[in-house]
Amino acid sequence: MTSFVDEFVTLNADAMSLKLYSTTAQDVERALLQPTGNLSSLMALLSPAAMAYLEPMAQQAAALTRQRFGANLGLFLPLYVSNLCANECDYCGFSMSNKVKRKTLSQDELNQEMAIIKQRGFDSVLLVSGEHETKVGIDYFAAILPQVKAKFSHVAMEVQPLETVHYQRLAKLGLDSVMVYQETYRPHTYAQHHTRGKKQDFNYRLATADRIAKAGIDKIGLGVLLGLDDWRLDALFMGHHLQYLEQTYWRTRYSISLPRLRPCTGGITPKVELSDAGLVQLICAFRLFNPQVEISLSTRELASLRDNLWALGITHLSAGSSTQPGGYLNPSTQLDQFEISDDRSVEQVVYRLKQLGFNPLWKDWEMAWINQ
């Protein structure tokens, strides 16, 4: 079965990095004239040279976003169903060696969490779990998905990579989208941070988006954990991945997420620090490269920064998030996957969105809309 792995092995990271860091101001100016769908332009817009062009990049990105998405910003909430994990990942609070209390939601507990989320107005939910395929695997997901789909119009998942047949099973039960983050596209760095468990298999994870697309899932989310390696190069690899997927599986929708490494139990410090200005550059570069891709922003970022980023290319955001199983009914921090920075309530975020002229959307889409 062919996958992005076959294309990835043809990409020379050293050559890409050399070109990325030798980009000139003239290259950036040319990229600003023809950024859409052009990987060379994406490289220029991600380069250090482009930092001097943040203002025109931001203006173009904001205009493209409003042209394609209007003033709409979709709201979703992560629903953590388990923090059991069979992997050793040194940047994650769920890592198997961390001495944290482990919990998997029962169906009753799941119902209690969903009731709180619905009460807050959300109609789009992201199911999240640690990666433990024996105790929290396909049978668990298949058991809870109908229960969740009965409550929410849009259900996404961010769990361990699965086989195509498993994604097909979940699609029949109502799964709408799957988020799978490569963490880093540098195999050597990947191996340093994933030292135990099935997540050690770099290529299996890299081919996951192909399996999701082949299963007919409507939307696929890509992402890297910014800070594990050179964020500029990781982002460029993700651009290649995104373009490959759109050209190969053109019926599928795509989203990207740009999370920065955050503190957690047993966590590490970033190898390459990503500044706020760098995050602005990333968002604008991807919006100019791909006007239709959805870009989500989590509560990892400070409230003041999130308020300023929304206009530059963001289409979806979480608000009032908990990163622990059972965290909406019983808030605490001992089960958290990572620390959040924007701790405003849903009501406060919605109020601020409206103040800034945005239209908060609670529903992502209806299956009936695409069947007409």
Side-chain angles (χ1 to χ4, degrees):
M1 181 183 75
T2 59
S3 72
F4 180 66
V5 175
D6 302 293
E7 181 165 322
F8 179 76
V9 297
T10 70
L11 300 176
N12 187 316
D14 290 337
M16 289 168 63
S17 181
L18 179 63
K19 191 170 183 180
L20 180 68
Y21 283 92
S22 61
T23 296
T24 65
Q26 290 73 26
D27 294 328
V28 177
E29 290 170 5
R30 281 193 294 271
L32 285 169
L33 295 175
Q34 290 185 318
T36 302
N38 189 323
L39 286 165
S40 294
S41 292
L42 177 63
M43 177 182 289
L45 296 175
L46 290 171
S47 72
M51 289 295 285
Y53 293 84
L54 283 189
E55 185 60 33
M57 287 176 64
Q59 291 176 359
Q60 287 191 36
L64 274 175
T65 306
R66 299 289 77 78
Q67 179 183 337
R68 174 62 178 83
F69 298 96
N72 300 318
L73 275 172
L75 291 163
F76 72 93
L77 206 60
L79 171 49
Y80 280 70
V81 297
S82 177
N83 64 355
L84 287 175
C85 194
N87 295 315
E88 191 70 45
C89 310
D90 60 8
Y91 53 82
C92 180
F94 290 176
S95 188
M96 64 183 299
S97 66
N98 286 342
K99 304 301 181 183
V100 297
K101 184 179 179 181
R102 305 291 174 168
K103 182 176 183 60
T104 300
L105 297 185
S106 66
Q107 292 205 347
D108 285 343
E109 291 169 327
L110 179 62
N111 279 329
Q112 291 175 316
E113 292 287 284
M114 290 194 296
I116 295 170
I117 294 172
K118 290 296 291 185
Q119 187 178 36
R120 295 182 182 179
F122 290 94
D123 198 31
S124 181
V125 69
L126 171 65
L127 300 181
V128 187
S129 79
E131 300 189 8
H132 199 302
E133 61 182 356
T134 56
K135 294 184 178 180
V136 190
I138 180 60
D139 291 336
Y140 177 81
F141 302 139
I144 67 170
L145 188 55
Q147 188 177 350
V148 179
K149 188 62 178 179
K151 300 291 185 180
F152 298 95
S153 296
H154 187 268
V155 180
M157 294 184 74
E158 183 183 338
V159 300
Q160 67 266 29
L162 303 171
E163 294 296 326
T164 300
V165 64
H166 295 152
Y167 288 123
Q168 290 172 331
R169 179 180 176 187
L170 296 176
K172 292 178 181 177
L173 294 173
L175 181 63
D176 300 302
S177 60
V178 178
M179 314 299 144
V180 56
Y181 303 146
Q182 189 62 28
E183 316 298 8
T184 176
Y185 285 86
R186 305 305 308 278
H188 178 69
T189 301
Y190 187 94
Q192 289 178 328
H193 294 287
H194 304 95
T195 56
R196 189 175 175 185
K198 193 170 182 178
K199 198 171 180 178
Q200 288 179 287
D201 192 335
F202 178 90
N203 285 344
Y204 182 76
R205 194 170 190 90
L206 191 60
T208 302
D210 289 88
R211 297 194 298 275
I212 298 168
K214 287 180 170 66
I217 300 293
D218 176 71
K219 185 167 72 175
I220 299 172
L222 301 178
V224 288
L225 186 54
L226 302 164
L228 288 184
D229 205 284
D230 182 343
W231 58 266
R232 299 181 192 276
L233 190 56
D234 260 337
L236 183 57
F237 273 116
M238 187 169 69
H240 279 267
H241 199 176
L242 176 62
Q243 186 169 87
Y244 159 85
L245 291 169
E246 286 196 329
Q247 292 176 349
T248 308
Y249 311 103
W250 54 270
R251 291 181 180 273
T252 305
R253 295 192 295 157
Y254 296 94
S255 68
I256 61 170
S257 181
L258 302 168
R260 287 193 279 191
L261 192 61
R262 292 289 298 144
C264 67
T265 301
I268 59 170
T269 57
K271 177 181 178 180
V272 180
E273 198 77 41
L274 173 58
S275 66
D276 291 351
L279 184 58
V280 169
Q281 181 184 5
L282 267 175
I283 293 170
C284 293
F286 271 101
R287 174 54 66 224
L288 295 177
F289 171 65
N290 193 316
Q292 72 271 6
V293 73
E294 298 176 11
I295 304 178
S296 64
L297 186 65
S298 78
T299 52
R300 288 174 182 257
E301 304 299 338
L302 290 170
S304 57
L305 179 60
R306 293 223 307 167
D307 290 356
N308 290 320
L309 293 176
W310 289 335
L312 301 182
I314 303 303
T315 62
H316 290 74
L317 65 142
S318 54
S321 301
S322 170
T323 65
Q324 59 174 306
Y328 297 114
L329 180 64
N330 297 304
S332 68
T333 58
Q334 61 175 329
L335 308 181
D336 282 347
Q337 186 182 28
F338 57 85
E339 291 182 13
I340 64 173
S341 295
D342 185 351
D343 58 2
R344 290 177 294 183
S345 68
V346 179
E347 293 78 11
Q348 289 172 319
V349 171
V350 169
Y351 178 77
R352 184 60 175 149
L353 282 170
K354 292 180 177 178
Q355 268 190 326
L356 295 173
F358 294 104
N359 177 33
L361 292 182
W362 301 96
K363 183 187 290 286
D364 189 316
W365 59 284
E366 283 281 12
M367 181 64 74
W369 295 348
I370 63 171
N371 288 336
Q372 293 179 354

